[in-house]
Amino acid sequence: MRIFDPHIHMTSRTTDDYQAMYDAGVRALVEPSFWLGQPRTSPTSFFDYFDALLGWEPFRAAQYGIAHHCTLALNPKEANDPRCTPVLDALPRYLVKDSVVAVGEIGYDSMTPAEDTALAAQLQLAADHGLPALVHTPHRDKLAGLHRTLDVIRESHLPPERVLLDHLNETTVSHALNSGCWAGFSIYPDTKMDENRMIAILRFYGPERILVNSAADWGRSDPLKTRKVGDAMLAAGFSNNEIDLVLWRNPVAFYGQSGRLQLGVAAPEPLHEGNSILRGGE
């Protein structure tokens, strides 16, 4: 079973997770930039984080045979802090980097006017740079947030087939698919979606334009949830072709629109800027 996790925050994970993911079949991933939990207070803290997603994390992933790509953006929550909004002006110099395969995570947290402005601006940046967009639907008032998101997308220059609407659930999936966008589901131990609910959605809607991810951030989460969905699909009678479509070919097709996917992994470098992942040895 080959797996492409299209949304996982490896900055929050250990090297043991990389090893377990490889053993489970993960061979590629996309790490979206997101809110780190502790609020940032200046654009420079974002730039250091972006540099880590472009350098240190691909280095770590390569040690375990996993191709690492990222998406970069001003996230919805911090779009409300005027100290952070200058990030929007600096994003163009990051969006030209080879391993950036989308603009994201963008979207809504509390559905404020500041979030409206940031979403519209970053959809335009995606269109300007020939990139797709990874859109975070809000955790609260999810259906209202999805409708508001779709309104902004329709007003943008980015066609819906270049948009992945993530963190969906049973109340939002039909609207997302009917819009022409791709549909993403984060599988969690306690919240959002679980494997059984995901199986029910796949049975009803089929596997086309559907992606599943583990998200696996700093909260209670599981970087092996993609594999667990694959195992649940197998147990539920889905074919190997359908499993491969959801876990590999769909994320490749969506992020492949960037023209930047490199799914092969070169022999890893021993050091990144003088540092290794080893401790206590040469």
Side-chain angles (χ1 to χ4, degrees), residues 5-268:
D5 195 323
H7 181 154
I8 182 168
H9 298 292
M10 294 308 298
T11 296
S12 305
R13 314 306 302 194
T14 68
T15 52
D16 288 350
D17 290 322
Y18 271 121
Q19 183 65 66
M21 290 162 60
Y22 182 87
D23 292 344
V26 176
R27 295 296 181 270
L29 63 85
V30 167
E31 179 166 2
S33 59
F34 79 135
W35 181 56
L36 293 176
Q38 172 65 33
R40 285 170 282 210
T41 59
S42 73
T44 54
S45 58
F46 282 84
F47 304 152
D48 288 338
Y49 173 50
F50 293 167
D51 288 341
L53 295 184
L54 293 165
W56 175 242
E57 283 306 323
F59 168 79
R60 283 211 305 158
Q63 310 302 308
Y64 296 92
I66 297 175
H68 183 288
H69 302 83
C70 67
T71 77
L72 301 181
L74 174 64
N75 68 81
K77 190 173 184 69
E78 290 174 303
N80 292 295
D81 188 336
R83 296 173 299 179
C84 299
T85 52
V87 171
L88 294 172
D89 297 324
L91 270 173
R93 67 185 172 95
Y94 285 97
L95 296 180
V96 297
K97 303 293 185 180
D98 288 343
S99 60
V100 178
V101 294
V103 175
E105 296 180 60
I106 59 177
Y108 286 111
D109 179 61
S110 300
M111 290 184 280
T112 64
E115 293 170 22
D116 288 331
T117 299
L119 174 56
Q122 293 182 101
L123 287 170
Q124 185 61 51
L125 283 174
D128 291 344
H129 288 80
L131 292 172
L134 172 62
V135 177
H136 169 107
T137 57
H139 302 302
R140 303 171 299 279
D141 298 323
K142 191 169 283 292
L143 184 56
L146 178 67
H147 287 311
R148 189 162 171 177
T149 300
L150 290 174
D151 286 342
V152 179
I153 291 170
R154 291 186 190 104
E155 294 170 359
S156 77
H157 291 97
L158 198 66
E161 64 268 20
R162 296 179 72 83
V163 176
L164 170 57
L165 298 168
D166 216 339
H167 304 315
L168 298 177
N169 61 17
E170 294 89 344
T171 68
T172 53
V173 56
S174 63
H175 302 279
L177 289 171
N178 289 339
S179 74
C181 296
W182 295 70
F185 298 85
S186 299
I187 314 301
Y188 269 71
D190 295 320
T191 60
K192 298 188 176 74
M193 297 293 298
D194 63 23
E195 296 93 322
N196 292 331
R197 291 167 63 194
M198 193 67 236
I199 292 300
I201 285 174
L202 287 166
R203 278 181 170 150
F204 189 84
Y205 293 99
E208 300 292 335
R209 281 191 292 126
I210 285 181
L211 290 77
V212 297
N213 67 75
S214 67
D217 55 21
W218 34 256
R220 184 161 184 258
S221 51
D222 181 353
L224 303 184
K225 280 295 188 182
T226 47
R227 175 58 193 241
K228 291 174 182 177
V229 169
D231 290 339
M233 290 180 70
L234 194 61
F238 286 88
S239 69
N240 289 329
N241 180 64
E242 290 169 317
I243 296 169
D244 190 67
L245 182 63
V246 171
L247 295 184
W248 185 267
R249 301 198 313 273
N250 280 349
V252 167
F254 176 74
Y255 287 114
Q257 295 178 100
S258 69
R260 297 177 180 174
L261 274 186
Q262 298 289 333
L263 297 176
V265 182

